[in-house]
Amino acid sequence: MSSRLLDSLVTTDALAGVFSDAAVLEAMLRFEAALARAQAECGMIPAAAAAAIEQAAAAADLDAEAIARAARASATPSIAMVAALADRARRIDPAAGDLVHRGATSQDVSDTALVLLLLRAQPILAHDHARLADALVRLSDEHAGTVMLGRTLLQPATPITFGLKAAGWYAAIDRSWSRVRRAFEVACVLQFGGAAGTRAALGGRATDVARALASRLHLPLVPPWHTDRDRLGALVTACALYTAAVGKAARDIALLMQAEVGEVSERGGGSSTMPNKHNPSSSIAAIAAATRMPGLAAAFLGGMIQEHERAAGGSQAEPATLAAIVQGTGAAVAALAGAVEGLSVDVDRMRANLDATRGGALAEHAVMLLSTRLGKREAQAHVARALERAHRERRRLADSLADVPAVRSVLSDDELRDLGRPESYLGDAEAIRSELLGRTAAAALD
Amino acid sequence: MSSRLLDSLVTTDALAGVFSDAAVLEAMLRFEAALARAQAECGMIPAAAAAAIEQAAAAADLDAEAIARAARASATPSIAMVAALADRARRIDPAAGDLVHRGATSQDVSDTALVLLLLRAQPILAHDHARLADALVRLSDEHAGTVMLGRTLLQPATPITFGLKAAGWYAAIDRSWSRVRRAFEVACVLQFGGAAGTRAALGGRATDVARALASRLHLPLVPPWHTDRDRLGALVTACALYTAAVGKAARDIALLMQAEVGEVSERGGGSSTMPNKHNPSSSIAAIAAATRMPGLAAAFLGGMIQEHERAAGGSQAEPATLAAIVQGTGAAVAALAGAVEGLSVDVDRMRANLDATRGGALAEHAVMLLSTRLGKREAQAHVARALERAHRERRRLADSLADVPAVRSVLSDDELRDLGRPESYLGDAEAIRSELLGRTAAAALD
Amino acid sequence: MSSRLLDSLVTTDALAGVFSDAAVLEAMLRFEAALARAQAECGMIPAAAAAAIEQAAAAADLDAEAIARAARASATPSIAMVAALADRARRIDPAAGDLVHRGATSQDVSDTALVLLLLRAQPILAHDHARLADALVRLSDEHAGTVMLGRTLLQPATPITFGLKAAGWYAAIDRSWSRVRRAFEVACVLQFGGAAGTRAALGGRATDVARALASRLHLPLVPPWHTDRDRLGALVTACALYTAAVGKAARDIALLMQAEVGEVSERGGGSSTMPNKHNPSSSIAAIAAATRMPGLAAAFLGGMIQEHERAAGGSQAEPATLAAIVQGTGAAVAALAGAVEGLSVDVDRMRANLDATRGGALAEHAVMLLSTRLGKREAQAHVARALERAHRERRRLADSLADVPAVRSVLSDDELRDLGRPESYLGDAEAIRSELLGRTAAAALD
Amino acid sequence: MSSRLLDSLVTTDALAGVFSDAAVLEAMLRFEAALARAQAECGMIPAAAAAAIEQAAAAADLDAEAIARAARASATPSIAMVAALADRARRIDPAAGDLVHRGATSQDVSDTALVLLLLRAQPILAHDHARLADALVRLSDEHAGTVMLGRTLLQPATPITFGLKAAGWYAAIDRSWSRVRRAFEVACVLQFGGAAGTRAALGGRATDVARALASRLHLPLVPPWHTDRDRLGALVTACALYTAAVGKAARDIALLMQAEVGEVSERGGGSSTMPNKHNPSSSIAAIAAATRMPGLAAAFLGGMIQEHERAAGGSQAEPATLAAIVQGTGAAVAALAGAVEGLSVDVDRMRANLDATRGGALAEHAVMLLSTRLGKREAQAHVARALERAHRERRRLADSLADVPAVRSVLSDDELRDLGRPESYLGDAEAIRSELLGRTAAAALD
């Protein structure tokens, strides 16, 4: 039920279990049992046969390795699975063997099984997303007033609050989760079309059987989608967008945790050789999972141009790709949730890094103030010179500007004081934070 | 305004125009003019200066090549564009020069300009999608009763109708278009955050200016999204899913148009050297555009893990990628719309290809009928032998089966006749077709 | 040791074994044992301790699941593996525990272990490539004289030989294999750099230990490559190019095997429901594996921009991706080798499909002949009309042309006869075939 | 001849010119002129006609927009180009019109034209690579003795030299360039196969014409490769690996240039609004170009599974993708070359950042020394406690350790002094640097 070593960083234990051989077989067998029951319900096969098939399916003693091997000969695991189930059913009720998988096609069972696995994966992801979202909202609220450097192109920009930054992480991740949630709902539908998608083998009872089957599996009934993979594709790409948002927050944390920045710190994260090491291990695990997602999404998308009523290659590798994508998404969110829940924030260091710009973070402010009075070019020249002087003399921009009579004379005392106070140059930060957290609508941003 | 030669198959004339240098500059200038007007409206800058900026922006005589060259020095085209606009504005009103781009950041103008281009591209795509959707519905209705081979893994399966096939194309394409349409709506929002996303440079009037700017550009106002690219990412992936659905239909057409299959035929499509040639050129253009979409989507997704308040590399290549994706989508849908509108269907050939299976397409039917009476294994054996005999003796499966007393005795005359009639083995085809066309809900499938 | 069900079509049994947990642990332990021995050889640790470490490593009773779980906490499986090995070594020799992994870093063992697995995978791929290459050469030679339709844009073009086609498959696959082979050689090198790539922890004996370690593992010694992944990247992309070449041949086979074309046939390939079915299952498995390769390659490439002396996310997902790529490559080549070895070729059907063009495949020939005598436009017009007539009257182009006095009068009897003989219009086919098979150099093409 | 605005960061002026419409048409016309001359040389067409074709081709007044538009109707730009050239040739010599493009196919001219463009692009890339390689070697040599922090997982590790770091950049980039150079050589070959790759339309002189054509275009002659795109694919992937290596160095520079790190600084890089800003603009441009490369490579690879003798979609989008990849590669190398050539290095800051770890960078050293004497666990405990104390008391690890009698007593004075000197813990740094610069072979690493 566990992940494999090579995959350990791109899944979680719980999700590795969801896509394990036992779970795959169980889902396939559940389809076949439900199909038999549905046909019995519609009077197509004897109830006793359906009971035998269900009983055989419940035994769940199929040989996953043998089926995997047989899958390579027929390009589908379904044929060998059906044969094995039929053997077992026949031993219980001689008539039942012939009635396994009746009227269905290989892809009906493999696709529906995949859907059943997705339905098991969804709450695992939802749980970790909820943990992450809660932790981010708490973090944002706690640091609504924590002033820090905004950074653009990896260089100091103007001040922001850490609360705003965390709210930005939250909003992108939560917006992306909405897409994932909707995509799961849309994708988790019954596949049932028979040989060429008409359900012809079921004769006049086709629609009834389809409905009964959907009902038994608690799956919506839609037209067969053997070569229309857009619902799965939408789930795949929603996962890719979600992990990108997760990865963005994780990279920010890893950057803020650099020793030279030191503004936040993850719990844990030791090294195999260096006692001084304190690594952003969880963020890195999240980034790792996110890093391969664009390629994995492309791997799925690349198979979507499928031939006629069943693909000649495009869909046969989908399960492996889809399982990797869902597990990678789960690995990313679980890792980041852990990182954020245990994050310690060094408020003093944030202030110190701001102060280390010697007012550079407020240089734009100074230019905005001065340019209406002195003209933009002169304002820019004054500020640039004063900033240079401040760095040379280890003073602050505000003090350095105050020394220049032409500048001092056009600034009020309050303005001058504000040029030394990053908290006076936060603009709409708090209003935007509130909107990012969904507390105020865009339409009422104040 | 035209496409470049090397890009000719991955865009259309109209879309190449949307993303041309002139259009890009116009969109950027429109942002700056609206910003000035919004600030004048809020009393931040004189109305005369705003008028001068608007007038300078309208002149639209900027040197695209020079700006492109300067863009490489600063990793953004905005700085050079702003400088050039300020020069022009200053000539009209000396005070106006300093007031261009006031309080905004480079990415505010470049992102919003991109959004304005997307808004121009959307109706072009919508128009071609509507053409395609209409043509597919017509095609499906016209051929609701046209029986043809279903094909799975590129081999004959059971019968379907061409109307069902076309309805399947329609449903996947239309479902995918809904995602594209929604994604355009969500993505087309104002970008306006200033240096680090707080709009601090606008002082106390920040929110008012943001609202006025959004209103002037007819764009929704949302929190700054400088490093949160999920809305654009959702558009990108919706386009990828859409072109995949388009590509699937196009590949089906190219396959059906093979000389050996000959069931449909595009208009046009000559060769540079062979007079016998009649190529599926439009379908091929659609497939070509679709083929590179997974990679292009990955190219966009791969840049989404962006640092802090402005990316250090992840976003700077986005415009090129996004323009390629939207143009590729437009090229695909325009090409397929052309192919489908001009498609001729050879109903006789469809029937002939079905007949050429000598009843093989109904072999499943025969097994279904016989297995309840003779057991599945015996049924399969009889049908397999009869099918082989039918091929050898150039007869039909039904006739060949009728020669076998053990088989003949358990089949009624009607059943035997049906085994020779593909139209008797269409199952839910028409009901599913109706659902695919959105005429009946999944909940009422009959 | 087997593949998982969901991955069954994208690996082989042998390759699934290569990347199994047991194999991964064995490779890691082999590194640690060799490191200890190398250090003993250089006098850095006692021989007895090295023997104890080697003995502990040989026991191979580590708990893969526990290590996988611990890997998520530290973003590497190495730490838990080293701790478990040290425990075991300490039980054998109390001094040995502290000397496990001495001077190495986590990535030294994980990268080198990956390299050791690659070295086990290489001969498996090489074996199946050799099978495939042999089968293709045989096929090409056997059908050097088998004339068939060349097909461009899925439409009939001019004649080729099946021998030429098979030689083309061979040449692209074999050329691509050369890249894979070289890439394996270049990529399979020791990783050994210690904490930051200087091997400082080994003091003055660093170089000696590195050499001894390389020698014991039979791996070339190169500078540490912790964040320089181009050698692995070159292997990944070589695999992607190789599977593309394999996929091209597989798709050709699937297309040629369409019932309506019927020129080749794979062995095997049944359906779960339709007795008439004969699927190109092996080709489809090859296409499936090839379909996801571009995305998987992008997943690897997307992580290559790695920070400083050890990546913060870019490399941690590499093993999963790399294992998927190598296994997918192996699955593709094994599947196609099986398909080609068992391929039956229907020479008569090839001829029949050619004949069904009614000379269309020779229309270019007719134009070439006639245009020097009648001018190109008139020649094209004559041929087009004659071809249309031939189809209508179910005759051959040559006969139809012969009816036109203006045409007949400028053609010799031999020329007219050749217009009915595809084998007279094969150009350089045999010379090119010989070159594709490597029997004649490009420089001496005749 | 310039780049478009939207593409400005993903190309250079020079490369935008190489792939401009004028250059594309010139290359196509050059093929046709050379083909005519080659046929005249072989006696297949009159010399006067060849001269007329050459003259018409030289006039180069074709309408690129019209040809681009026509390309969409036939899925190739060649047909319209040939028609236009034939018209012009006919006006010069009435017989010449019919002899344009004789025996060739559309893809012969479009592929060969692409190859001719690649041959123009190669020296541009080579020139910028040489600049970059030279600058990196100089940088490495200049800083062979500049000690700095090694950083792993974005956290301080053990010391390295900046010379070693720059040598690592050089080695990966130069190794990757070798692949690009070889790939250009292999990919730049003549495409000439006629309708289905047999050159049948050229009759008995096919081989001679092929040779003469290859000779005139100075291109190697190889068998037709219409659907075998591995040589182009190898170029594409070599470019992707190269830009990844470039991107790694660029990201390192952007990280080292963070204000909080401050170890290196690019020239230039202003902001549109903040006077304090000094952005790593060139590195960012390089990262931007590199970021989309994995996706672009996948876009190419995704089209490589091509049907029969000419692709039905897979190849038609290649030129756009290939041009984007080569231009992106050129943009990346040009940007990084500029960054490195103008890089200033703050040696004092490097030392200060090292010192700020308070000896943490040497903690591994301390553990290595102490564990042979005190056992590993006790050594680790001592070092961890001493490091914590050093941070608390703002001292150095070495001093803090010296206060512990149990530790002090087992360390010599020299050892203790070395624990305070990062330069004493550089291991093989200089030897590895020399090897990375290609000055010593792996086989003689000392």
Side-chain angles (χ1 to χ4, degrees), chain B residues 106-130:
Chain B
S106 295
Q107 207 182 342
D108 289 340
V109 55
S110 58
D111 275 350
T112 303
L114 202 57
V115 161
L116 293 172
L117 300 183
L118 292 177
L119 280 175
R120 285 185 53 196
Q122 199 274 353
I124 299 174
L125 267 60
H127 172 76
D128 283 328
H129 171 73

Side-chain angles (χ1 to χ4, degrees), chain A residues 149 151-157 251 255 257-260 273-280 284 360 364 367 387, chain D residues 151-157 251 255 257-260 273-280 284 360 363-364 367 387:
Chain A
L149 260 179
R151 292 174 176 97
T152 57
L153 288 75
L154 286 179
Q155 291 298 314
R251 177 166 287 170
L255 288 170
M257 194 171 150
Q258 291 172 98
E260 295 85 356
T273 171
M274 292 174 283
N276 59 308
K277 261 318 200 63
H278 182 66
N279 291 321
I284 281 171
E364 183 195 54
V367 171
L387 193 54
Chain D
R151 293 175 174 97
T152 58
L153 288 76
L154 286 179
Q155 291 297 317
R251 178 166 286 169
L255 288 170
M257 193 170 150
Q258 291 171 100
E260 295 85 356
T273 170
M274 293 174 285
N276 59 309
K277 262 319 200 60
H278 182 68
N279 291 321
I284 282 171
E364 183 195 53
V367 171
L387 193 54

Side-chain angles (χ1 to χ4, degrees), chain B residues 149 151-157 251 255 257-260 273-280 284 360 363-364 367 387, chain C residues 151-157 251 255 257-260 273-280 284 360 363-364 367 387:
Chain B
L149 258 179
R151 292 174 174 97
T152 57
L153 290 76
L154 287 177
Q155 291 297 316
R251 177 166 287 169
L255 288 169
M257 193 171 152
Q258 292 171 99
E260 295 85 355
T273 171
M274 293 173 283
N276 59 309
K277 262 317 199 68
H278 183 66
N279 291 322
I284 281 171
E364 183 197 53
V367 171
L387 193 55
Chain C
R151 292 174 174 98
T152 58
L153 289 75
L154 287 178
Q155 291 297 318
R251 177 165 286 168
L255 288 169
M257 193 171 151
Q258 291 171 100
E260 296 85 356
T273 170
M274 293 174 283
N276 58 309
K277 261 316 199 66
H278 182 65
N279 290 322
I284 281 171
E364 183 195 53
V367 171
L387 193 55

